[in-house]
Every structure is written in C-alpha cells, then in structure tokens.
Amino acid sequence: MVSVGVAALAGMVSLGAGTASAADSALVNMSCIGLSPNVVDVPYSAQVIMSQYGLPPGVASFTVHTGASIWGGYGTTPTLTWTNTATGASGSVTGFSPMSSMFGSGSTVYFMNLPTGSGNVRIDLSVVNTGLIPVPPVNCSGNIDLA
C-alpha cells in the first residue's frame, strides 16, 4: 500500500504558472507539490510570497514557506530564479532550512532585496529535499507584476 501511495504522490509533482498583480505583498500564484523524502509523510508543499513593502521600485523580497512534515528531520534547499520578462534581467539565489515536524510550522527561507526590476517577473522555484530517500526536485513557476 505504501508503494501505491508513493506512486500517487509522484504524479503530484507539478508545474504551475500564474500571474499576480503589483502590490506591497502578494502570494505568487504557483503550484509547488512533490514527494517528501520521509516516504510515509504528507507531500512536500511550498508557497512563494513577494514583498515590496518599504523597498524602492524594482526591488523585491521573497519568502519560500513550506507546510510541515509529519516526521520532520530532513533538509530543504530552495533555489529561486527570477527573470524580468520586459528587460531580460535575471538572477538566482539559494537557501537552506531544516524541515520541522508537524508540531512546527514547516520551514521558511528568506531572499531579501532582489533587484528584479519593475514589471512582469517570472519566478522559477526548484527545491531539493534531502532525507531518508532521494526524491526528484520539486519545480514550479509563476509570474508576478512588480512596482
């Protein structure tokens, strides 16, 4: 039964795309769901939150926040790549966080003051989770309009 559950979760690794409007803070519309390296666990899930509060135009901060794991005990390494679709400017940042158990709040990685430029920005997130078993990276994408 576990192998059926793992196979079903493997099908959940998805690539989502969406667009959000310019605002001081917004959730980037993307679907980030994949396998947990703990075998019997809730699926890994993440969301990306953008903030421009108090920042000059063309600069944004991003938070990658995950749901919690039943067992915890693994590491999550998100790489956030941004591309301004009007100017072609781009960049990439990588962070790390330990994954907490269901009694915690998941994990959070902050990427502060990225010079994305104003306009439509594509966000690509690739997350490598390391733990009990190797699992494929979780990849997702979305767009957001920045001031």
Side-chain angles (χ1 to χ4, degrees), residues 1-15 31-45 68-71 74 129 133-139:
M1 192 64 168
V2 170
S3 63
V4 172
V6 170
L9 287 176
M12 293 175 68
V13 176
S14 65
L15 197 59
S31 176
C32 290
I33 300 173
L35 294 172
S36 164
N38 285 341
V39 185
V40 181
D41 201 352
V42 295
Y44 171 86
S45 66
S69 161
I70 293 173
W71 315 110
Y74 68 86
N129 294 313
I133 63 165
V135 294
V138 178
N139 296 297

Side-chain angles (χ1 to χ4, degrees), residues 11 18-19 21 37 46 52 55 57-59 61 71 76 78 81-84 124-125 131 138-139 141 147:
T19 302
S21 301
Q52 288 189 291
L55 297 175
V59 176
S61 294
W71 315 110
T76 183
T81 302
W82 57 267
T83 305
N84 186 304
D124 295 305
L125 181 66
V138 178
N139 296 297
S141 299

Side-chain angles (χ1 to χ4, degrees), residues 81-91 116 120-124 143:
T81 302
W82 57 267
T83 305
N84 186 304
T85 60
T87 67
S90 65
T116 60
N120 185 273
V121 176
R122 177 182 170 92
I123 302 297
D124 295 305
N143 291 317

